[in-house]
Amino acid sequence: QVQLVESGGGLVQAGGSLRLSCAASGSIFSIVAMGWYRQAPGNQREWVATILSGGSTNYADSVKGRFTISRDNAKNTVYLQMNSLKLEDTAVYYCRVDRDYQTRYWGQGTQVTVSS
């Protein structure tokens, strides 16, 4: 089992920045990928960014150039640095850990609200 604890959400003005954190604990061996997803009210959950075990990263077009996903292996933590935030970035953000290309673990979600 893997437990994920997210933090860092909050209220920020458009154009501002926010950094989300997701700390993993438990059976964290054989982690193949970590990522961030988001879900706005009335919308489907969408993929935002992924960092693979080898360190490569991928981003949704909507956040490319503004968001950066990173990890601290010593702390078993994945981060999402969000810059130049837009109103449409408002959502609940969830982290996900994939273990052994088989099992997915989700965080509880953290609210990000961008205001004008």
Side-chain angles (χ1 to χ4, degrees):
Q1 288 293 118
V2 173
Q3 296 81 44
L4 305 176
V5 179
E6 298 175 337
S7 61
L11 176 64
V12 63
Q13 285 191 297
S17 299
L18 210 59
R19 189 179 75 157
L20 306 182
S21 300
C22 178
S25 62
S27 301
I28 57 176
F29 56 88
S30 300
I31 300 298
V32 298
M34 305 181 77
W36 288 94
Y37 294 71
R38 66 187 182 186
Q39 186 170 22
N43 291 76
Q44 298 294 308
R45 185 173 297 185
E46 64 175 346
W47 168 73
V48 174
T50 297
I51 184 165
L52 302 179
S53 60
S56 62
T57 59
N58 291 99
Y59 300 91
D61 289 341
S62 59
V63 307
K64 193 174 300 180
R66 300 188 297 118
F67 290 11
T68 302
I69 186 171
S70 62
R71 67 189 180 196
D72 185 334
N73 290 332
K75 297 180 179 179
N76 298 314
T77 300
V78 62
Y79 304 94
L80 185 68
Q81 178 66 47
M82 304 182 294
N83 298 326
S84 301
L85 283 162
K86 304 175 180 179
L87 294 178
E88 50 264 44
D89 294 321
T90 295
V92 176
Y93 284 71
Y94 301 88
C95 65
R96 193 183 90 175
V97 169
D98 295 351
R99 194 183 74 187
D100 294 325
Y101 295 102
Q102 179 179 352
T103 307
R104 300 171 181 175
Y105 299 93
W106 292 92
Q108 82 285 356
T110 184
Q111 177 71 49
V112 172
T113 302
V114 183
S115 64
S116 60

